[in-house]
Amino acid sequence: MGLRKSPSKMSQKIFIKTFGCQMNEYDSNRIFDSVKKIGFEKTDNYEDANCYLLNTCHIRDKAKEKVYHEIGRVKKIFRSKQKPLVIIAGCVAQAENQEMLKREPYIDLVIGPQSYHKINDTILNYAQKKKKMEETEFDAISKFKYFSKIKNEAGKVSSFLTIQEGCDKFCNFCVVPYTRGPEYSRPFQKIIDEAKYLSEKGTKEIILLGQNVNAYNDGEKKLSNLIMEIEKIADIKRIRYTTSHPKDMTEDLLDVYKISQKLMPLVHLPIQSGSDKILKLMNRKHTINDYLYIFEKLKKINSKIEFSSDFIISYPGEQENDFNNTLNLIEKINFINSYSFIFSPRPGTVAADLNLIDKKISVERLEKVQNKLFENQINRNKLFKNQTIDVLVENLTDDKMQTFGRSQYMTSVVFNGKKEHIGKIVPVKIKKFNRTTLFGEIVEDLNKKVA
Ligand code: SAM
Ligand code: SF4
Ligand code: F3S
């Protein structure tokens, strides 16, 4: 195995591959911030790595199989080379723990999401003793304490910032309460410190993250307080949060939309189904009316606010009329940018063994929902044609010929900007669009408009 015994003295290279949600992306960055302290550099090239870390997701389908498949690929690549240290992190690691070490001897270490504070010690220990290990305790407090001492060096124009982890809601279909553990909110001041540091490093947009981000609660302090405190950081121009639960959309949070200048007008609020019967079967703890109340209140505050959502199609028990209710709801709310998947039974959850809806029917329903959602997206983008919109510029496009940024609604925008526009909000006149992307030209009177 290619890992040196005392990595702190020499440079080692780590390749990190990330599946799953934004929280995994944030975690992968933080894992790198940590292993840097024991001498690791990041590589984007598999073959250069002497440590290969796979940050996994367990939310749907054959998540476990995907991991073993990926390990098979790594094995092939390294057949004629020295074996890298192979680490499995993330939600599959948490769910499968020691089983992974037994089933695939090529794996050396397994580490769950609430044990990342132990990653350096685990690696150093392995380098010396060659002892395979599994770390899957739920210890969010120690993890965040550890990471609050290590700077978040992501420094991207748009940066993730995890404020809350875990879930106590136990929707019947979902593995998250089992893979991320109970709800834990980070201390308010630590989050503000991290936001300030990100801002010093060039971040202009902060996306606050949590499996139930709006359940954030540190004593008296809630998500609404966090947003308003981050708002005070002059160089942070945009604030977003994801993923929220309808039950935790409290009045104070809705009221922030009246006063905040930086909170973006896109609310990602998963509803899962348009049928109260199905929401009950899912154990979602909210009704369609609860959702409509939030929608109507926010629209009244600012008619430009748009909603996006997550849908689970063909949850066991979903009949044609339930499904039609979902279509009707999509029509009513006019969601933009939503995610939809066929229900996938997850081991260990309440819904794991329920009778599945016929595959053909499920695929047809998914297609109908997606057609409707895609149509909404196209129609929304059409409205931007010939409009000038504010774009936060994130980077150059891959071919380096244009610039890439995002609208207030998170829609990708490609336009003829320059390197010096990166990190700025610039006015772009939209000339063309497709379902996912707007294409335009910068409006040149930059001295006046660039923020
Ligand atoms: N906490 C968020 C909420 O309350 O909706 C969702 C977090 S979950 C990581 C992201 C999305 O995955 C869910 O909104 C749901 O649509 C989808 N999902 C979760 N479990 C699923 C399953 N078993 N089958 C299909 N989709 C699933
Ligand atoms: Fe999963 Fe979200 Fe339900 Fe929690 S609230 S169990 S994370 S879907
Ligand atoms: Fe996947 Fe875990 Fe996120 S299961 S969606 S990586 S919380």
Side-chain angles (χ1 to χ4, degrees):
M1 202 272 304
L3 196 74
R4 295 181 190 105
K5 278 194 179 149
S6 32
S8 55
K9 300 204 180 81
M10 286 177 220
S11 173
Q12 308 277 324
K13 289 196 173 146
I14 187 167
F15 177 91
I16 303 181
K17 181 157 183 168
T18 309
F19 293 116
C21 62
Q22 293 107 324
M23 300 201 63
N24 263 11
E25 273 184 55
Y26 175 84
D27 288 345
S28 288
N29 286 334
R30 300 300 275 142
I31 287 172
F32 178 62
D33 288 334
S34 176
V35 298
K36 216 159 51 178
K37 305 269 176 220
I38 54 169
F40 279 95
E41 283 170 31
K42 205 188 277 181
T43 174
D44 292 331
N45 193 351
Y46 265 110
E47 304 183 23
D48 286 349
N50 45 9
C51 178
Y52 174 90
L53 186 141
L54 190 59
N55 196 357
T56 59
C57 172
H58 200 46
I59 203 83
R60 275 177 292 270
D61 295 339
K62 304 161 184 112
K64 195 168 53 171
E65 297 317 313
K66 268 187 219 155
V67 175
Y68 291 115
H69 181 78
E70 183 64 23
I71 298 299
R73 264 165 47 97
V74 178
K75 261 185 186 172
K76 260 191 210 151
I77 293 170
F78 284 89
R79 200 165 26 208
S80 55
K81 298 170 141 219
Q82 212 172 15
K83 177 187 177 310
L85 172 72
V86 175
I87 307 176
I88 308 298
C91 291
V92 177
Q94 186 66 44
E96 291 294 307
N97 50 59
Q98 314 174 352
E99 285 308 307
M100 305 199 87
L101 295 176
K102 282 191 207 143
R103 174 165 161 188
E104 178 47 270
Y106 204 74
I107 298 172
D108 301 304
L109 300 172
V110 172
I111 186 157
Q114 305 304 11
S115 299
Y116 294 152
H117 52 296
K118 296 187 186 158
I119 193 146
N120 287 6
D121 288 347
T122 316
I123 292 175
L124 292 173
N125 188 49
Y126 187 85
Q128 285 180 356
K129 299 188 185 145
K130 296 284 176 291
K131 190 168 176 297
K132 297 200 177 228
M133 274 184 69
E134 165 265 313
E135 289 284 359
T136 48
E137 253 178 80
F138 287 133
D139 192 1
I141 297 180
S142 306
K143 179 178 84 169
F144 284 112
K145 235 185 209 162
Y146 172 80
F147 278 106
S148 66
K149 291 187 203 124
I150 296 177
K151 300 279 191 215
N152 180 344
E153 300 290 354
K156 287 185 172 169
V157 171
S158 173
S159 292
F160 294 130
L161 202 179
T162 293
I163 64 166
Q164 178 279 342
E165 268 215 69
C167 179
D168 295 339
K169 297 233 168 24
F170 289 92
C171 300
N172 287 341
F173 52 80
C174 184
V175 289
V176 170
Y178 309 96
T179 61
R180 294 274 173 169
E183 275 178 16
Y184 170 76
S185 294
R186 291 180 61 193
F188 187 83
Q189 194 51 46
K190 297 284 179 211
I191 297 168
I192 300 301
D193 293 345
E194 191 169 330
K196 284 184 180 156
Y197 187 74
L198 284 170
S199 161
E200 282 164 25
K201 291 279 160 183
T203 291
K204 305 292 175 194
E205 172 179 271
I206 289 204
I207 307 181
L208 301 170
L209 297 182
Q211 270 91 23
N212 274 287
V213 73
N214 55 343
Y216 176 82
N217 184 327
D218 176 27
E220 297 284 287
K221 305 282 191 193
K222 301 174 80 178
L223 177 60
S224 54
N225 305 106
L226 258 181
I227 292 169
M228 291 317 294
E229 195 63 26
I230 292 175
E231 178 120 353
K232 292 181 193 157
I233 306 173
D235 284 341
I236 299 297
K237 305 291 182 198
R238 289 182 170 185
I239 304 171
R240 304 180 190 273
Y241 61 89
T242 195
T243 299
S244 32
H245 190 284
K247 197 159 185 284
D248 295 313
M249 290 300 285
T250 46
E251 294 295 326
D252 58 304
L253 182 55
L254 300 179
D255 287 342
V256 167
Y257 286 87
K258 290 184 189 158
I259 47 175
S260 171
Q261 302 296 310
K262 297 183 178 176
L263 189 56
M264 289 294 102
L266 174 68
V267 182
H268 181 67
L269 189 61
I271 185 153
Q272 316 299 353
S273 167
S275 151
D276 274 336
K277 180 189 104 189
I278 297 299
L279 293 182
K280 199 148 192 227
L281 289 174
M282 288 174 166
N283 190 29
R284 279 294 286 180
K285 303 183 178 76
H286 64 85
T287 62
I288 301 299
N289 269 343
D290 295 336
Y291 198 94
L292 289 175
Y293 170 80
I294 298 163
F295 172 71
E296 277 152 19
K297 176 150 186 186
L298 286 181
K299 279 286 194 190
K300 234 181 245 162
I301 291 173
N302 174 2
S303 62
K304 294 208 171 97
I305 289 177
E306 301 281 7
F307 278 63
S308 66
S309 201
D310 294 349
F311 295 91
I312 294 182
I313 307 305
S314 285
Y315 187 75
E318 184 186 80
Q319 290 170 317
E320 207 54 32
N321 66 321
D322 299 309
F323 175 68
N324 286 335
N325 285 341
T326 300
L327 288 178
N328 293 342
L329 189 86
I330 294 174
E331 183 83 38
K332 187 173 175 110
I333 305 261
N334 204 3
F335 291 104
I336 60 170
N337 243 349
S338 295
Y339 300 94
S340 48
F341 295 95
I342 294 173
F343 166 69
S344 163
R346 309 308 296 128
T349 62
V350 173
D353 299 318
L354 299 178
N355 287 337
L356 293 181
I357 289 176
D358 177 76
K359 187 149 186 228
K360 189 164 165 276
I361 295 179
S362 301
V363 171
E364 278 169 15
R365 286 182 184 169
L366 181 70
E367 227 174 77
K368 273 191 195 159
V369 158
Q370 292 194 332
N371 285 342
K372 188 99 209 93
L373 291 168
F374 290 171
E375 193 186 307
N376 287 356
Q377 243 179 321
I378 283 274
N379 287 341
R380 187 70 186 87
N381 286 351
K382 202 186 277 173
L383 295 180
F384 288 121
K385 196 167 171 197
N386 294 324
Q387 300 285 317
T388 298
I389 62 168
D390 283 346
V391 175
L392 174 58
V393 190
E394 293 190 13
N395 45 38
L396 295 176
T397 50
D398 286 346
D399 61 6
K400 312 261 182 279
M401 305 296 280
Q402 297 193 81
T403 35
F404 170 88
R406 289 192 187 268
S407 75
Q408 293 192 328
Y409 298 100
M410 276 298 258
T411 311
S412 304
V413 185
V414 172
F415 67 102
N416 62 336
K418 301 198 180 81
K419 212 173 162 188
E420 47 275 27
H421 294 133
I422 294 173
K424 300 206 159 61
I425 294 177
V426 300
V428 175
K429 183 158 186 185
I430 302 306
K431 302 277 176 172
K432 281 195 309 188
F433 63 91
N434 60 28
R435 182 172 66 78
T436 56
T437 311
L438 303 170
F439 302 89
E441 280 171 19
I442 189 160
V443 178
E444 275 304 347
D445 195 5
L446 286 180
N447 291 338
K448 274 192 199 150
K449 281 220 63 177
V450 175

